[in-house]
Every structure is written in C-alpha cells, then in structure tokens.
C-alpha cells in the first residue's frame, strides 16, 4: 500500500534539537518530492519545506527558511525535518505529504498523499 | 504573495442539504486550485484538483468550480461523514492555503 509513515510524538524543552522523519512506502517512491506542513492547534495549514527524495533538491517557504532544515535519505525513501533549537512556538502537529509537482510547467504543487502527523510539544 | 481567503469561516448545514464553500484568490490563479478535507484528529485528504476534477475515490457529491480568483466547493447532499474543515490551496504561484471553512451540523 502506498503510504507515508511518520515518527512518533515528541516532547521537548526549549533549546533542544529535534529531527522527525517520514518514510514513504510504495513503488518508485524515491522519485517523488515530499513536503512538511505545520498545523498549530486549532489553526490552518502552512507548508514549510519540500525536498526531492532522489537528489535532495530543496525549496523552503520564506516563512520557515532558516528556522528548520529538510533533508532526505533516498536509500530508504525517507524525508526529515529538523530543528537546532526549539521554541515553545514550534509546538504543533507536523504533517509530511507527497507532492504532486507540476514540474517544468511553470506551476507549483499540491499534496496528494498525507502522513498521519507528528505532534511536537515544546515546553519547559 | 497570493492570499487565499475562504468564506464563511463556519457553515452550518443540515444533513441532506447543500453546502457551498467559497475561496477567493488575491490575484488570478487560473484553474490551479485544490480542495482538501480535514476531519478532527486526521490528516487532510485531497478532494479536488484543477479546480473541478475529483481525486481518486472522491464521491460525486463533491464538486468544484471556478477560475481566475473565485472558486467554489459544493457538497450535495451533505452526509454525516462530510462534517469537517475544508481548505483550498493554489499552486499557480508559490503555494498558499486558505484559512479553512468548518462545516458543522445545523
């Protein structure tokens, strides 16, 4: 079955580092782009960063550039999102999602397959 | 940056009735809009892409329309499992989500 499997919930303190993961299952998964989407409690969706699993080409939302790092390991079809120093305001649900990327058409992407989410809680 | 504005924020509908959700773009995005459904405690699910094409497995009671700056998602007839939050997103430019419309039981 084609699916995205995310790592489990995390509870961290301000200043801690963190790396969460998203593993893709299905044929030829490494040819896809994967993105991370933040959803703070009771709020809407915000895309943060996307990465191509095969060559690790990345794109960041201006709102999140410099705040997080996206990376990938194509050998295991896995994307990662990491923070070097968490803040309480990073508390949120983080979804990974597969892009349907209209590459080379002048268009961008939407998300056609979603993981179940990783809840990150940052509290002292 | 393109801003996507959804209205209303909350829509009260009775089962069996029609729900009409709106999404407005701050500038033209042609037909490059998708709609997602998110139920409580679940991840979003793709419903509609290209403004009007249903994604795989999406029932025919969901329909999308519009182009340019005005888009509509219609659900008719509403069923119990359709009460959820709905988001639009444009991909004509740097992607942007709308703020969502919560469809609740009247």
């Amino acid at each position: 079955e084609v699916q995205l499997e995310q790592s489990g919930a995390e509870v961290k303190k301000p200043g801690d580092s963190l790396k969460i993961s998203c593993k893709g299952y299905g044929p030829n998964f490494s040819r896809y782009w994967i993105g991370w989407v933040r959803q703070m409690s009771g709020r809407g969706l915000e895309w943060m960063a996307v990465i191509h699993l095969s060559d690790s080409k990345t794109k960041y939302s201006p709102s999140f550039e410099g705040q997080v790092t996206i990376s990938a390991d194509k050998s295991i079809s896995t994307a990662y999102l990491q923070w070097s120093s968490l803040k309480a305001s990073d508390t949120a649900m983080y979804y990974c999602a597969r892009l349907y990327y209209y590459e080379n058409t002048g268009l961008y992407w939407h998300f056609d397959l979603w993981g179940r989410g990783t809840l990150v809680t940052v509290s002292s | 940056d393109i801003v996507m504005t959804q209205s209303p924020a909350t829509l009260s509908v009775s089962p069996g009735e029609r729900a009409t959700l709106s999404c407005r773009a701050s500038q033209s995005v042609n037909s490059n809009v998708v709609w997602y459904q998110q139920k409580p405690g679940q991840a979003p699910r793709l419903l509609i892409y290209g403004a009007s094409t249903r994604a795989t497995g999406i029932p025919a009671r969901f329909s999308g329309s519009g182009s340019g700056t005005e888009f509509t998602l219609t659900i008719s007839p509403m069923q119990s499992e359709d009460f959820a939050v709905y988001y639009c997103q444009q991909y004509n430019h740097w992607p942007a989500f709308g703020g969502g419309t919560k469809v609740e039981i009247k």
Side-chain angles (χ1 to χ4, degrees):
Chain A
E1 182 187 357
V2 179
Q3 62 177 337
L4 293 168
E5 183 178 89
Q6 295 190 230
S7 51
E10 302 275 1
V11 179
K12 293 290 188 180
K13 295 189 184 314
D16 285 352
S17 62
L18 176 64
K19 190 173 188 178
I20 60 176
S21 67
C22 170
K23 182 175 174 60
Y25 290 89
N28 301 312
F29 216 93
S30 63
R31 68 184 177 93
Y32 288 103
W33 288 75
I34 297 293
W36 289 95
V37 177
R38 183 177 79 173
Q39 187 169 40
M40 301 176 80
S41 181
R43 306 292 292 275
L45 305 168
E46 306 170 270
W47 79 270
M48 303 171 70
V50 301
I51 189 165
H52 192 271
L53 289 179
S54 182
D55 62 12
S56 290
K57 191 181 300 185
T58 61
K59 299 180 189 292
Y60 287 87
S61 165
S63 299
F64 291 94
E65 184 140 32
Q67 309 304 309
V68 295
T69 302
I70 192 170
S71 60
D73 183 339
K74 70 177 180 180
S75 68
I76 52 172
S77 299
T78 297
Y80 304 94
L81 186 69
Q82 69 181 84
W83 295 259
S84 59
S85 181
L86 286 161
K87 303 184 285 285
S89 57
D90 292 317
T91 295
M93 180 71 81
Y94 292 88
Y95 293 102
C96 68
R98 187 180 70 182
L99 273 63
Y100 189 99
Y101 194 169
Y102 297 82
E103 212 165 1
N104 302 317
T105 66
L107 301 178
Y108 290 80
W109 60 83
H110 63 261
F111 301 100
D112 68 352
L113 178 70
W114 294 70
R116 293 189 172 191
T118 296
L119 181 62
V120 174
T121 303
V122 184
S123 174
S124 54
Chain B
D1 290 359
I2 296 199
V3 176
M4 303 296 283
T5 303
Q6 293 187 238
S7 62
T10 303
L11 182 63
S12 298
V13 182
S14 299
E17 292 187 341
R18 174 191 303 258
T20 303
L21 290 67
S22 295
C23 176
R24 173 176 291 177
S26 59
Q27 64 187 79
S28 177
V29 294
N30 297 303
S31 296
N32 300 310
V33 163
V34 298
W35 290 90
Y36 303 98
Q37 175 194 64
Q38 186 178 32
K39 296 181 181 179
Q42 295 186 21
R45 175 175 71 144
L46 178 67
L47 295 177
I48 301 282
Y49 62 93
S52 61
T53 303
R54 283 187 300 278
T56 302
I58 302 303
R61 65 180 182 273
F62 291 91
S63 62
S65 63
S67 66
T69 61
E70 301 284 341
F71 301 89
T72 301
L73 175 69
T74 302
I75 312 167
S76 182
M78 279 289 294
Q79 299 197 358
S80 57
E81 63 264 33
D82 301 334
F83 292 95
V85 180
Y86 293 83
Y87 294 96
C88 61
Q89 179 224 313
Q90 65 81 19
Y91 53 92
N92 196 72
H93 306 277
W94 210 228
F97 291 97
T101 291
K102 179 180 180 181
V103 181
E104 63 177 23
I105 299 175
K106 187 174 183 180

